[in-house]
Amino acid sequence: MTATNELRALTSIRGIAAWMVVLYHIRLSIAGLPPAWVHVFAKGYIAVDFFFLLSGFVIWLSWGSRLREAGWREAPHFLQKRVARIWPLHLVVLGGAVALALLLAAVGRHDPTAFPFGELPLHVFLIQNWGFTGKLAWNDPAWSISCELAAYLAFPLLVRAVDWRTLPSWLVASAAAAFLLILAAVMSGQPTLGHDIARFGLVRCLTEFAAGGAICALWLRWRDAPGLPAVLAFGFSAAAFAGWAAGLAEALAIPFALAGLLLGLALTSGLRGNPLDAAPLHYLGEISYATYLSHFMLFVVFKLAFVDDPHAVPALLVGLYLATVLGASVALYHLIERPAQTWVNGLKLPRLSGTKNRPAHS
């Protein structure tokens, strides 16, 4: 989102979600962590489902009307912006993983299941989770970025296929629900949303991304009078979470719960006293992509360098690792992510031919 239309609360919650994923990946390594907290952190992977919904929301807000008005001529510009957003930092982190794998191979400790060189080209081009691999490898969290790239490629087609602005609200809401029901049907019988990511990750992303766009369309209608819609959205979210706690299938309950939460957060963003509008949380959201993409490999390196027992890391070392992730996120955001994004966006790409002129605001 641009500075003019950013919903600060959504940026902040993105940062919180990224740290939920961090805690998910290190939960079994923290010495003495109470079982209750292990259980809470074990559900950190559902933050990725929130990312997919949020991504669809943000992309529809920023590009939905723009692509529809400009026609296919604007599609290369849209894809350039998305590549600039996700690819440079991914390549840097993946390059670090390759360097580590080569170092481990040199000392006879290479793990071919974690670092399969034969699959490396798939990871470079971010297509590894399009059904080409059977398990996560290299930088594990990048699986979701691979799926996001697929969603970006499909987005111009979605924009041309449906204009949410022309449909009644009940039909838009029904469409969002339909996307999430497709996900629940595909994952029927699976124990969790995080099960068999190589198989289900892509449909998990595409359906939630599409639902996020429909949620954005509802927000655009209700943002000027958010009171009752926000109450209903949060109430719906709470009911879905309660259903999950009572035994409702996770693949059904959680996406609906997160969809309601997203709409409620969007409707209440900017309200006076909203703690999610605070500057520190907002900054965590700004650097959240660097946090998400770097934390996994940083923990691999951290354990190799400092940890004797990877299943019993002392609290002091855990704190040092978390501080390292925060510092690395700041550095990667300012030194790599933002400059590379500016550079890629500055490249001149040929425009597709069409009958419509490029909008002045682009």
Side-chain angles (χ1 to χ4, degrees):
M1 287 180 285
T2 65
T4 56
N5 65 7
E6 180 189 15
L7 300 173
R8 288 178 64 89
L10 298 188
T11 301
S12 297
I13 203 70
R14 192 176 71 213
I16 295 171
W19 281 95
M20 287 176 61
V21 177
V22 175
L23 295 172
Y24 165 74
H25 279 130
I26 70 171
R27 70 193 187 285
L28 299 179
S29 296
I30 304 175
L33 185 66
W37 284 106
V38 174
H39 180 72
V40 170
F41 294 161
K43 290 301 179 181
Y45 61 84
I46 66 175
V48 179
D49 296 276
F50 187 81
F51 286 144
F52 291 151
L53 287 160
L54 177 59
S55 181
F57 184 106
V58 171
I59 296 301
W60 193 272
L61 176 61
S62 300
W63 287 95
S65 297
R66 185 170 174 177
L67 283 175
R68 175 161 286 277
E69 293 167 4
W72 294 112
R73 293 185 63 188
E74 194 70 6
H77 184 55
F78 163 72
L79 294 174
Q80 179 184 17
K81 289 281 189 181
R82 302 325 302 159
V83 167
R85 177 73 176 89
I86 66 173
W87 219 318
L89 187 58
H90 160 69
L91 291 178
V92 169
V93 177
L94 182 60
V98 171
L100 176 62
L102 291 173
L103 177 61
L104 292 175
V107 297
R109 297 180 60 185
H110 175 244
D111 181 357
T113 61
F115 304 116
F117 281 99
E119 296 179 0
L120 186 57
L122 300 174
H123 292 260
V124 170
F125 292 104
L126 274 177
I127 59 174
Q128 72 271 25
N129 222 77
W130 294 11
F132 298 120
T133 57
K135 65 183 294 294
L136 303 187
W138 291 100
N139 184 30
D140 285 14
W143 75 266
S144 66
I145 312 305
S146 170
C147 296
E148 283 272 355
L149 179 60
Y152 298 155
L153 292 172
F155 181 70
L157 301 176
L158 177 62
V159 169
R160 302 301 294 177
V162 60
D163 185 356
W164 298 125
R165 297 171 300 180
T166 65
L167 302 177
S169 296
W170 70 265
L171 191 53
V172 177
S174 297
F179 288 127
L180 300 183
L181 288 173
I182 290 171
L183 173 60
V186 171
M187 296 200 68
S188 177
Q190 305 305 317
T192 69
L193 280 165
H195 181 71
D196 199 354
I197 289 173
R199 179 182 173 190
F200 295 108
L202 185 59
V203 69
R204 187 175 158 197
C205 173
L206 294 177
T207 51
E208 291 173 335
F209 182 94
I215 292 168
C216 178
L218 294 175
W219 172 78
L220 287 169
R221 297 173 187 209
W222 299 338
R223 59 181 171 175
D224 293 330
L228 180 59
V231 171
L232 293 176
F234 284 129
F236 177 82
S237 178
F241 276 121
W244 176 48
L248 197 62
E250 182 173 291
L252 176 62
I254 288 300
F256 277 95
L258 296 177
L261 179 63
L262 172 60
L263 180 56
L265 290 171
L267 288 167
T268 55
S269 181
L271 295 183
R272 185 175 181 181
N274 189 337
L276 291 176
D277 287 337
L281 284 179
H282 181 264
Y283 184 70
L284 282 183
E286 289 285 333
I287 64 173
S288 61
Y289 182 56
T291 302
Y292 179 77
L293 210 56
S294 68
H295 77 275
F296 185 85
M297 289 309 307
L298 283 173
F299 197 48
V300 172
V301 173
F302 192 86
K303 288 187 292 184
L304 288 171
F306 300 111
V307 176
D308 295 324
D309 182 356
H311 301 293
V313 181
L316 183 62
L317 284 181
V318 171
L320 178 60
Y321 162 73
L322 296 177
T324 300
V325 171
L326 180 60
S329 300
V330 172
L332 289 170
Y333 175 76
H334 290 287
L335 300 179
I336 303 295
E337 183 180 345
R338 293 296 293 166
Q341 191 173 351
T342 300
W343 179 78
V344 175
N345 284 332
L347 298 176
K348 300 300 181 183
L349 297 182
R351 298 282 170 183
L352 295 178
S353 60
T355 58
K356 294 186 178 182
N357 293 325
R358 182 179 171 185
H361 64 268
S362 64

